Amino acid sequence: MTQRVALATVLDRLAIDAVITGYAVAVDDGAWSDYGALFTPDGRADYRGAGGIEGPAEAVARWLEETMRLFPVRQHLIVNRRIDLEDLGGYTGDRAEVRADYLNPMCLARRTASGPDADTPGKADAATPDFVTGGRYTFALHRAEAGWLIRTVTVHEKWRRTP
């Protein structure tokens, strides 16, 4: 592998890592247009392994938007990322697979007991998560003109805890 190819490979890995981080941030922030922009036009998401749906990224984003209203406080941590780049005889191809573990604590929406916001739904007491889940994502990515995009993401929930 030449130094130029090695540098290109490092840049690809950094770009893929940025896409995976962008995915977590979009879900946590409820930035559904950002979520959709991370996918190829034919991109799909499969949340059935965590009790959700499977389908085109646009449809799944609408489902997530509705579902995540229950959890206005969430922090999605994606760790232990293993990136496998397509190898074209020592050169990086246009496909990659990522396996990464996740930990996702979330807090349910609550009404405050008193004060000016007492009747405002969605106020959350963020002291203790109501729901914590962990598992593994598998991503298939494709290099497009705009950069690396998610072709598929599948959630493999391994455990969940509710107090």
Side-chain angles (χ1 to χ4, degrees):
M1 182 180 295
T2 68
Q3 191 172 16
R4 184 172 294 181
V5 172
L7 178 59
T9 300
V10 169
L11 292 175
D12 282 334
R13 288 180 176 280
L14 289 171
I16 289 167
D17 189 70
V19 170
I20 303 306
T21 298
Y23 171 88
V25 170
V27 172
D28 289 346
D29 291 352
W32 306 117
S33 61
D34 293 348
Y35 177 92
L38 295 168
F39 286 83
T40 61
D42 62 344
R44 298 184 71 80
D46 186 349
Y47 287 79
R48 292 177 296 182
I53 67 167
E54 186 278 334
E58 182 180 303
V60 173
R62 287 191 304 271
W63 173 80
L64 282 169
E65 181 176 15
E66 186 65 31
T67 302
M68 291 297 115
R69 286 185 183 149
L70 297 171
F71 302 101
V73 177
R74 51 194 181 263
Q75 186 177 22
H76 209 158
L77 307 173
I78 300 180
V79 299
N80 301 334
R81 302 168 196 219
R82 181 174 177 173
I83 300 171
D84 293 319
L85 293 164
E86 179 181 36
D87 184 352
L88 300 176
Y91 294 91
T92 304
D94 292 335
R95 292 182 292 189
E97 292 183 2
V98 177
R99 289 181 303 269
D101 294 332
Y102 71 86
L103 175 67
N104 190 9
M106 299 182 286
C107 296
L108 286 166
R110 294 186 180 84
R111 291 180 187 259
T112 57
S114 62
D117 295 328
D119 294 325
T120 305
K123 286 289 186 176
D125 171 12
T128 305
D130 298 296
F131 184 85
V132 183
T133 180
R136 179 164 291 157
Y137 285 113
T138 54
F139 294 90
L141 291 97
H142 179 76
R143 186 196 319 262
E145 271 189 50
W148 287 96
L149 296 172
I150 300 168
R151 176 165 258 149
T152 63
V153 59
T154 303
V155 180
H156 307 276
E157 185 179 80
K158 293 183 177 184
W159 60 272
R160 69 173 56 181
R161 183 190 65 176
T162 56

